[in-house]
Amino acid sequence: MNKKITAGILCAAVMAAAVLTPVTALADRVEEKPYLSLGADLNDQEKATVLELLEIEEGSLDNYDVYEVTNQQEYDYLGSYMDASLIGDRALSSVKVTGKESGYGIQVETHNITYCTEGMYQNALATAGMKDAEVIVAGPYGITGTAALVGAMEAYGRMTGNVIEPELADGATNELIVTSGLAESIGDPEKAEELIAAVKEIIVANEYTDPEEIENVINDVANKLEISLSEEDRQLIRQLMEKLSSLDLNLESIKEQASALYDRISGLDLSEYGITEEAVQGFFAKIGQFFSDLIEQIKSLF
């Protein structure tokens, strides 16, 4: 009997830890200073413009955790995916990241960003593992904005105290660049976001790793979305998905954090891949039943 009571206490303690620890950490996150990442090469006038777009008064910078992202850091992240002419020789992209309560998701707002959309940032940051944050990206004038992902990931790592794993950061960067390039190629940013999101969902959910399987999924989703892909686009997407398939991605978290994007593709028929509304509801029902049964077992021990 004592063993049963001890086991029950241990179970209860584990559940309490599982429930209470995230709440405490979340409270700390929401109350702490927002994080501000500034391009290291902004001149005074450009910095003033960026701060105004981020709705920050220069005299109130003490209210933020401020640091700079250098041009070298931009090359470290982006050099493998972008031509140097697009990265440039000045770090200008600036980002404000504010921790939010659980369930908020990732909400993105952009100013003077010409190449990356809010949905592209949202989906890439979800891939990187970001959760529940408001992200505002700004440039002093029209810039591509690809380097802003560097600042956002650096800020989130500092905010949570956990540096984003290099593999996830690389995958997120690769995803942003491919999605942006696809948007330019097909002339429709929303369709580009939807294609990458849907293919990623199928690949991760079914643990596809074979290049031929992945290419079949890409072609199928492209047809469903009525997108005509060039061979170059197809190859870049396939290489991206091969990389993402090797990462330990949390699909449910990605869909929760980028819910607005996944809501847009919820009407896409992906049932042949096991992606259905009923399947998702069944997944959560099983989790709910598991915890319900566990609580009943703990109660019975006492």
Side-chain angles (χ1 to χ4, degrees):
M1 181 66 179
N2 287 338
K3 288 183 179 179
K4 286 186 177 181
I5 293 175
T6 301
I9 293 172
L10 286 172
C11 286
V14 169
M15 290 189 68
V19 172
L20 295 178
T21 300
V23 172
T24 304
L26 177 65
D28 291 342
R29 252 185 74 188
V30 172
E31 291 174 4
E32 68 186 7
K33 294 180 179 180
Y35 282 70
L36 177 61
S37 166
L38 293 172
D41 298 312
L42 292 166
N43 62 36
D44 290 343
Q45 183 176 350
E46 291 166 344
K47 181 179 177 181
T49 299
V50 164
L51 290 177
E52 183 178 357
L53 292 171
L54 295 175
E55 299 182 348
I56 298 173
E57 294 183 7
E58 194 156 359
S60 67
L61 287 179
D62 286 345
N63 297 326
Y64 298 83
D65 193 328
V66 184
Y67 66 99
E68 295 182 338
V69 168
T70 66
N71 191 233
Q72 182 57 54
Q73 285 175 292
E74 294 177 345
Y75 272 94
D76 290 342
Y77 276 92
L78 303 169
S80 300
Y81 305 111
M82 294 185 72
D83 187 88
S85 63
L86 287 175
I87 300 175
D89 57 5
R90 299 178 66 212
L92 300 173
S93 296
S94 300
V95 186
K96 181 173 73 172
V97 179
T98 307
K100 295 293 185 177
E101 67 280 0
S102 178
Y104 184 87
I106 301 171
Q107 305 297 330
V108 181
E109 181 182 318
T110 63
H111 302 278
N112 284 338
I113 302 301
T114 61
Y115 195 59
C116 304
T117 66
E118 295 170 355
M120 292 175 196
Y121 284 120
Q122 187 184 51
N123 206 19
L125 289 170
T127 295
M130 179 180 280
K131 295 181 180 179
D132 302 315
E134 178 188 66
V135 180
I136 304 179
V137 183
Y141 45 80
I143 58 177
T144 64
T146 49
L149 186 69
V150 179
M153 291 191 292
E154 291 282 350
Y156 185 72
R158 290 169 181 259
M159 184 172 73
T160 60
N162 298 311
V163 177
I164 291 176
E165 295 177 13
E167 298 82 3
L168 291 175
D170 179 64
T173 302
N174 194 174
E175 180 176 336
L176 182 70
I177 301 304
V178 169
T179 312
S180 301
L182 178 62
E184 189 173 50
S185 177
I186 66 176
D188 192 329
E190 287 197 356
K191 282 287 183 72
E193 295 168 11
E194 292 166 5
L195 174 66
I196 297 300
V199 173
K200 180 170 65 174
E201 179 179 11
I202 294 168
I203 299 303
V204 175
N206 292 280
E207 300 181 351
Y208 289 151
T209 57
D210 180 71
E212 186 174 344
E213 282 184 319
I214 292 174
E215 183 147 0
N216 288 337
V217 171
I218 294 168
N219 291 335
D220 187 30
V221 174
N223 288 334
K224 291 179 186 297
L225 289 170
E226 300 181 345
I227 296 174
S228 178
L229 295 175
S230 68
E231 185 54 41
E232 181 182 4
D233 288 335
R234 191 176 290 106
Q235 180 179 346
L236 289 172
I237 298 169
R238 187 186 69 246
Q239 291 172 345
L240 167 65
M241 293 304 160
E242 287 176 16
K243 177 180 292 184
L244 296 184
S245 71
S246 69
L247 302 178
D248 185 20
L249 297 181
N250 185 328
L251 181 58
E252 294 308 317
S253 177
I254 289 172
K255 293 175 68 174
E256 179 182 327
Q257 298 306 312
S259 58
L261 174 54
Y262 281 91
D263 284 347
R264 286 196 346 235
I265 61 173
S266 60
L268 202 62
D269 183 10
L270 304 176
S271 56
E272 65 264 47
Y273 301 106
I275 310 295
T276 63
E277 186 176 349
E278 291 75 15
V280 173
Q281 291 175 343
F283 172 79
F284 285 111
K286 288 178 181 178
I287 293 178
Q289 188 60 51
F290 169 80
F291 282 109
S292 177
D293 293 343
L294 181 60
I295 291 171
E296 289 302 318
Q297 290 176 21
I298 293 173
K299 288 167 63 178
S300 70
L301 292 176
F302 293 93

